[in-house]
Amino acid sequence: MTKPKPSPFKKLFETKEEPQLEPELLTEATTESNVTQTPTPQKTAPIQEEPRKRGRPATGKRSDDAWIGRTYYVKRSTDLDVEEELLKLKRRGVEIDKSELVDFLMAVWVKWQQGENIDLLLDEFTPRRNSKLD
């Protein structure tokens, strides 16, 4: 007769428990034999570092809590004009994107609604006075 094949799942149901001596029991046993031994420290699990995430690090506005994503509709001609003006600014060394422009304009509008003099704010932002020097 042939032996039945062992079940591949048998190991899953078997558990081996190795008896571990408590550190207190170790010191009691050694003091009885007049030998002083310090208990061996228990092994600690190695600290596992978090795996590195794939892709670029999150450093943009999307991952910045100070910014919130919104969707607005603007006329196509306005968007093209804004793109053209931002490109002109970029060629002169002024880096600003649409979201920063919209954020600034909305903040100025709120301050104007609250009664502040927005001419000073607009003068700080606009590079028009720099273009007069060119």
Side-chain angles (χ1 to χ4, degrees), residues 24-95:
E24 295 172 2
L25 297 176
L26 287 175
T27 56
E28 290 175 8
T30 55
T31 54
E32 290 176 5
S33 64
N34 293 333
V35 177
T36 308
Q37 289 182 346
T38 57
T40 57
Q42 293 181 355
K43 294 180 182 177
T44 58
I47 299 173
Q48 295 180 358
E49 295 181 20
E50 293 183 22
R52 298 185 98 189
K53 294 181 181 180
R54 294 177 69 181
R56 297 185 324 178
T59 57
K61 290 183 186 83
R62 188 173 290 185
S63 60
D64 188 351
D65 287 338
W67 290 85
I68 184 169
R70 291 287 183 246
T71 303
Y72 301 100
Y73 288 96
V74 296
K75 291 182 181 177
R76 186 177 312 272
S77 60
T78 304
D79 186 60
L80 291 172
D81 291 341
V82 168
E83 281 290 328
E84 186 177 323
E85 294 301 320
L86 289 176
L87 186 58
K88 289 177 186 177
L89 288 175
K90 191 173 188 177
R91 288 184 177 143
R92 291 191 297 186
V94 178
E95 292 285 333

Side-chain angles (χ1 to χ4, degrees), residues 11-24:
K11 290 184 180 180
L12 292 174
F13 299 111
E14 292 178 358
T15 58
K16 289 186 178 182
E17 292 185 20
E18 296 180 16
Q20 294 182 355
L21 296 176
E22 297 292 324
E24 295 172 2

